[in-house]
Amino acid sequence: MASEFQRDKLRAMFEAFDADGNGYLEEADFAALAVRWGRLPRVRAESGLAARVENVMRGWWRQLSATVDADGDGRIDMDDLLHMVDLLPTVPEAVTATADTVFDAVDENGDGRISRDEHRHLIDTWHGRAIETGDVFDRLDQDGDGYLDRPEFAVLWTQFWTSDDPREPGNLMCGELPHGR
């Protein structure tokens, strides 16, 4: 059962993924999401990475449609999505696998670290528009070195998808969460 915090987090994710704004997640939304992520400089430049990104984005649809589209109508509403809350912690390997691909897509210069600007691009790409990030990066960068390396990123990404603790920094991975909507 989803907590209010998890509902807020999933609602923000739902809004980011619902490309046409019709109140449902459909396969076309995930195709649009793949196109959006495909615009990142490193993804555009590397065909192998582009294929991985496409597979992850479309894989999210395949996973959702197979597990939470109870009536099989090809449309997932917010109530359907809330069923993912109990499922995601049981498949940590799937969450971690997407972290590696997203990391590579966002690491624009390929230096093995995510900078503040690269993280801002992640947030903007996630939402499909420019988003004010404030001090989100500073709160994610727990060691204060100015970067997120791959292991840090994987922990934060997993927290984003599975955590029910608002104090865990990973919940800010895709920007500040709206509260009490």
Side-chain angles (χ1 to χ4, degrees), residues 52-63:
R52 285 175 49 210
V53 166
E54 171 98 10
N55 190 45
V56 163
M57 301 304 153
R58 290 184 178 263
W60 288 347
W61 168 253
R62 288 188 299 273
Q63 182 69 30

Side-chain angles (χ1 to χ4, degrees), residues 7 77-83:
R7 285 179 184 276
D77 63 20
M78 189 62 196
D79 289 336
D80 292 334
L81 189 62
L82 288 171
H83 293 290

Side-chain angles (χ1 to χ4, degrees), residues 72-148:
D73 67 353
R75 296 170 23 155
I76 295 168
D77 63 20
M78 189 62 196
D79 289 336
D80 292 334
L81 189 62
L82 288 171
H83 293 290
M84 287 299 291
V85 168
D86 296 326
L87 177 64
L88 283 174
T90 69
V91 290
E93 65 285 345
V95 174
T96 302
T98 66
D100 281 337
T101 298
V102 171
F103 184 93
D104 290 340
V106 173
D107 180 15
E108 294 175 8
N109 61 5
D111 68 354
R113 330 179 280 183
I114 304 296
S115 68
R116 179 182 308 276
D117 284 342
E118 289 168 334
H119 181 257
R120 185 178 43 78
H121 294 157
L122 177 153
I123 293 174
D124 292 350
T125 300
W126 178 267
H127 291 279
R129 66 189 191 295
I131 298 289
E132 177 55 46
T133 60
D135 70 344
V136 164
F137 186 83
D138 296 328
R139 293 160 50 196
L140 293 171
D141 182 18
Q142 298 287 292
D143 63 9
D145 68 354
Y147 297 95
L148 303 176

Side-chain angles (χ1 to χ4, degrees), residues 99-100 103 112 148-158:
D100 281 337
F103 184 93
L148 303 176
D149 63 22
R150 190 176 297 274
E152 286 174 296
F153 188 89
V155 167
L156 295 165
W157 189 254
T158 301

